[in-house]
Amino acid sequence: MKYINIANTDLNVSNMIMGNMRLTQLSLPEAEKLIRTALDEGINFFDHADIYGKGKCEEIFSEAIQMNSSIREKMILQSKCGIISPEGYFDFSKKHIIESVNGILKRLKTEYLDILLLHRPDTLMEPTEVAEAFEELHTGGKVKYFGVSNHNPAQIELLQRYIPYKLVVNQLQFSIAHTPMIDSGIALNMKDDQAINRDSSILEYCRLHDITMQAWSPYQHGFFEGSFLGDLERFPNLNKVVDSIAEKYGVTNTAIATAWITRHPANIQVVLGTTNTSRLKDACKGAEIKLTREEWYQIYKAAGNIVP
């Protein structure tokens, strides 16, 4: 397992993250096996959100692992708030943020979060309210560090103008089959759809401002449209190339899809959402593989992208 330091923190974290969005699909014994497998593989970072199972996923996590101070010391716990419901609205009010964190802490059976993320941008937010909420949570010992998820550079700048704490993380969708973060930079100055800058150069912004990026849905394409791995109907050439490189390294296609993300010098953490222990182990093997530049670009092109 590779470990990195999240800039402007004292957190030394695994570049693999166990995501807990699907824990409601598991029994308590199955959830415990998954969590302990992650720990055995060297994963020390666990990602949650109060919207996952409407809080049930956090409850299952703490119950399955029988959360106590000894176990807590081995973990970096991160959760997110701000989404009221998938079909509802967003809320970055001071009242909601504080109530959300109190609920998260109760469900996770812990006294503090290492990192709190604002889940998706609330265009109705008052940044001064967010700042007040963060100040109360930090001084009260409930949250050590703060970050965002799915935010662009201007949204981060607006928050950072008022928040007295450095935003240290931005969690974004990124996979071989979902690459807007890098597409426009590679196809710069071309009259092609790939050259459209859809995210205000968020990857470069985060690197310039020492914000650690976390890739969610690392094996998905579109917005929860399924995995591209093994999808020979829509991604025949990509799977052919990935499988060929996987055979070379003696690993699975999951490991290569992971290695493709971790090969980037931005030190992107990979959020693993699987509930399958074997697949989790396969993904972790990817953290140990450093693809060559030729292999990295070969995979990128096989996904249907232009390399001028």
Side-chain angles (χ1 to χ4, degrees):
M1 181 62 61
K2 179 182 177 182
Y3 295 88
I4 62 173
N5 174 256
I6 293 182
N8 298 293
T9 77
D10 61 355
L11 303 178
N12 189 44
V13 302
S14 54
N15 66 346
M16 297 293 105
I17 296 173
M18 178 180 160
N20 293 277
M21 186 175 72
R22 298 181 176 89
L23 279 193
T24 51
Q25 299 174 8
L26 303 178
S27 65
L28 283 178
E30 289 170 336
E32 180 183 11
K33 181 181 178 182
L34 184 67
I35 298 165
R36 294 199 182 279
T37 298
L39 289 168
D40 290 344
E41 290 295 313
I43 293 175
N44 69 352
F45 200 110
F46 297 85
D47 176 69
H48 298 269
D50 61 358
I51 193 64
Y52 295 164
K54 297 182 179 180
K56 187 63 178 176
C57 290
E58 292 169 330
E59 290 180 357
I60 292 172
F61 183 89
S62 62
E63 290 176 21
I65 202 69
Q66 298 177 349
M67 183 65 77
N68 57 58
S69 58
S70 177
I71 293 173
R72 180 66 180 92
E73 291 174 359
K74 301 175 183 177
M75 296 179 167
I76 307 298
L77 292 183
Q78 170 179 283
S79 195
K80 303 180 286 291
C81 71
I83 300 178
I84 303 305
S85 75
E87 301 80 25
Y89 57 93
F90 308 136
D91 189 346
F92 283 5
S93 66
K94 176 182 179 180
K95 180 176 181 291
H96 179 73
I97 292 172
I98 291 174
E99 287 180 351
S100 293
V101 171
N102 287 334
I104 291 167
L105 296 178
K106 182 178 180 180
R107 291 188 294 271
L108 287 176
K109 298 179 181 177
T110 184
E111 295 181 352
Y112 70 96
L113 288 176
D114 292 285
I115 304 176
L116 173 71
L117 305 184
L118 298 175
H119 206 161
R120 278 194 175 274
D122 173 17
T123 194
L124 300 181
M125 76 164 179
E126 296 286 354
T128 53
E129 276 198 58
V130 177
E132 289 173 5
F134 282 10
E135 178 72 17
E136 185 170 321
L137 291 169
H138 184 76
T139 57
K142 294 181 178 181
V143 179
K144 293 178 69 175
Y145 303 106
F146 300 92
V148 294
S149 181
N150 308 297
H151 280 58
N152 67 29
Q155 291 164 336
I156 294 173
E157 289 282 353
L158 177 59
L159 281 165
Q160 197 67 84
R161 179 180 177 183
Y162 296 90
I163 295 171
Y165 310 107
K166 179 78 167 63
L167 295 171
V168 298
V169 163
N170 192 5
Q171 192 174 110
L172 301 150
Q173 185 177 5
F174 187 54
S175 75
I176 297 170
H178 186 91
T179 53
M181 283 202 302
I182 59 177
D183 291 341
S184 61
I186 289 177
L188 182 70
N189 205 33
M190 296 183 67
K191 294 181 69 174
D192 186 270
D193 184 64
Q194 184 180 320
I196 298 172
N197 190 334
R198 291 181 166 85
D199 59 12
S200 306
S201 303
I202 188 62
L203 183 145
E204 290 80 8
Y205 175 88
C206 287
R207 294 185 74 184
L208 284 167
H209 291 81
D210 294 325
I211 298 174
T212 297
M213 287 174 284
Q214 300 172 347
W216 61 269
S217 285
Y219 315 114
Q220 303 280 319
H221 67 95
F223 190 67
F224 298 119
E225 293 179 24
S227 176
F228 59 84
L229 294 173
D231 189 341
L232 302 181
E233 181 178 346
R234 283 178 285 190
F235 300 95
N237 191 39
L238 176 57
N239 277 279
K240 179 181 178 181
V241 171
V242 168
D243 288 348
S244 175
I245 295 174
E247 184 178 359
K248 171 187 171 182
Y249 285 95
V251 295
T252 65
N253 56 1
T254 300
I256 295 304
T258 305
W260 188 84
I261 297 173
T262 59
R263 174 62 178 83
H264 198 283
N267 280 329
I268 301 170
Q269 290 182 283
V270 181
V271 183
L272 308 175
T274 184
T275 57
N276 183 297
T277 54
S278 295
R279 197 168 297 125
L280 185 145
K281 291 179 180 180
D282 289 341
C284 289
K285 290 178 181 176
E288 303 169 6
I289 296 171
K290 185 172 182 179
L291 299 174
T292 66
R293 272 185 161 81
E294 181 181 4
E295 290 165 342
W296 192 93
Y297 279 105
Q298 183 184 7
I299 291 170
Y300 180 71
K301 289 190 292 184
N305 299 301
I306 295 172
V307 177

